[in-house]
Amino acid sequence: MQRGSDRLSRRQDDEMKHQLKGLLRSGHPTRSEEWHDPEPIADDDPRLASRDVPADPFEALRLELARFLARTPFPAHRGDLLRILRERHAPDRLTDRVAELPRDDTYRSVQDVAVALERRPHPA
């Protein structure tokens, strides 16, 4: 006797295995209706296909900030941003740049932080 909580009966389980057998063996979709298949990545969008860093330095900075400041409660001050960046193990170069921001300024979003950082001179 098998214990546990099975969602499917043995018959349904066998039917699903039969349906997936062709896909698992061939490595590509086996259905004749295209609408069953997931859409491939667009050929004309190289950023999605290759995940390259954006060519625009501002956009690259904004994306990197967003990666580490996701779900950060805004508005935030420099100290809040630094604490979060350190907790999330952001690169030192990013943390150092945020540390150069004015202490008393309030930032409403990641975009505000990126704009403030772009206005400040930074080492290349």
Side-chain angles (χ1 to χ4, degrees), residues 28-61:
H28 59 80
T30 56
R31 297 179 186 241
S32 60
E33 297 92 1
E34 286 184 8
W35 59 271
H36 281 291
D37 300 334
E39 290 188 27
I41 295 175
D43 293 333
D44 60 345
D45 195 348
R47 263 192 250 145
L48 287 177
S50 64
R51 295 183 178 241
D52 288 337
V53 175
D56 179 21
F58 175 75
E59 188 177 349
L61 173 65

Side-chain angles (χ1 to χ4, degrees), residues 54-105:
D56 179 21
F58 175 75
E59 188 177 349
L61 173 65
R62 188 178 58 80
L63 288 174
E64 187 174 26
L65 281 168
R67 186 172 140 220
F68 291 102
L69 296 177
R71 298 182 182 215
T72 298
F74 282 97
H77 293 283
R78 181 190 75 171
D80 301 327
L81 298 172
L82 286 172
R83 180 181 48 78
I84 291 167
L85 289 171
R86 288 181 182 127
E87 286 174 0
R88 296 180 182 169
H89 308 289
D92 289 338
R93 61 183 159 66
L94 188 62
T95 306
D96 292 344
R97 287 194 64 192
V98 171
E100 295 172 359
L101 291 173
R103 176 175 290 182
D104 298 329
D105 286 359

